């Protein structure tokens, strides 16, 4: 299954729609900051399973963390602000361990990252699809097949 991962759209819905049309995913993870953009994409593609968590710029009553299993791989979805993602990754990794997750997907920093932590929990940040303040627009593609995960960070500016 192909999963598209978005974070930090900050009102730039058009970029998300362009990625959806290009990638044709089987599932979407939205990691917060302008959660309404994520839900708007969900309404445009109602046939695609959608998981969203709220970020520090979201005021809804939505989930702050969500544990999702896809074909045997467990993902902890979070925005990252509650775990100090801008100052270090240890608390994110610990949260993943506590949740029994294989991968922690987070946003908040606007910097793409894909690395395995010392504990074996993978840390994945798709960056920012919104590209505020001239930042590079990026998103993630996670592919789960036969219980194995591959991850890629893509540049939306070249995909659109």
């Amino acid at each position: 299954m192909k999963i598209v991962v978005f974070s930090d759209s900050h009102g730039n819905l058009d970029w998300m729609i362009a990625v959806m049309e290009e990638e044709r995913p089987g599932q979407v993870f939205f990691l917060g900051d302008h959660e309404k953009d994520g839900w708007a994409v969900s309404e445009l593609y109602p046939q695609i399973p959608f998981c969203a968590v709220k970020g520090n710029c979201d005021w809804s009553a939505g989930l702050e963390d969500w544990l999702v299993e896809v074909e045997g791989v467990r993902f902890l979805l979070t925005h990252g602000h509650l775990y100090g993602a801008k100052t270090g990754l240890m608390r994110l990794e610990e949260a993943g361990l506590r949740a029994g997750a294989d991968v922690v997907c987070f946003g908040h920093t606007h910097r793409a990252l894909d690395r395995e932590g010392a504990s074996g929990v993978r840390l994945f940040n798709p960056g920012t699809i919104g590209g505020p303040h001239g930042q590079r627009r990026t998103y993630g593609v996670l592919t789960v097949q036969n219980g194995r995960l591959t991850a890629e960070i893509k540049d939306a500016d070249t995909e659109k």
Side-chain angles (χ1 to χ4, degrees):
M1 166 159 325
K2 180 193 277 191
I3 306 164
V4 165
V5 186
F6 294 120
S7 189
D8 298 276
S9 58
H10 294 283
N12 293 304
L13 186 60
D14 291 345
W15 289 94
M16 294 171 65
I17 294 168
V19 168
M20 293 293 291
E21 291 298 316
E22 174 74 24
E23 296 291 346
R24 304 273 183 205
Q27 185 153 5
V28 175
F29 294 164
F30 184 79
L31 306 176
D33 274 2
H34 288 220
E35 181 185 19
K36 65 181 173 52
D37 298 340
W39 289 113
V41 167
S42 174
E43 289 176 12
L44 291 171
Y45 302 91
Q47 72 283 9
I48 299 173
F50 181 83
C51 301
V53 294
K54 67 180 187 172
N56 60 299
C57 293
D58 297 318
W59 303 104
S60 71
L63 296 173
E64 292 178 337
D65 290 346
W66 193 343
L67 188 62
V68 179
E69 187 168 329
V70 177
E71 296 182 22
V73 178
R74 292 174 58 118
F75 298 91
L76 177 62
L77 311 182
T78 189
H79 185 61
H81 64 295
L82 298 176
Y83 299 100
K86 287 187 177 180
T87 59
L89 302 175
M90 186 183 332
R91 289 174 53 204
L92 281 163
E93 190 172 348
E94 289 170 352
L97 276 172
R98 280 192 307 276
D102 301 299
V103 183
V104 176
C105 295
F106 69 101
H108 188 55
T109 67
H110 295 194
R111 291 188 309 271
L113 173 80
D114 178 23
R115 79 169 209 212
E116 189 170 319
S119 67
V121 173
R122 189 173 197 158
L123 301 169
F124 186 81
N125 184 329
T128 174
I129 190 64
H133 315 297
Q135 293 172 326
R136 194 173 115 227
R137 290 177 175 88
T138 58
Y139 65 96
V141 175
L142 302 171
T143 304
V144 181
Q145 189 171 15
N146 299 322
R148 297 181 59 87
L149 173 72
T150 58
E152 186 176 3
I153 294 168
K154 292 191 169 187
D155 191 331
D157 290 322
T158 61
E159 301 294 324
K160 188 172 179 186

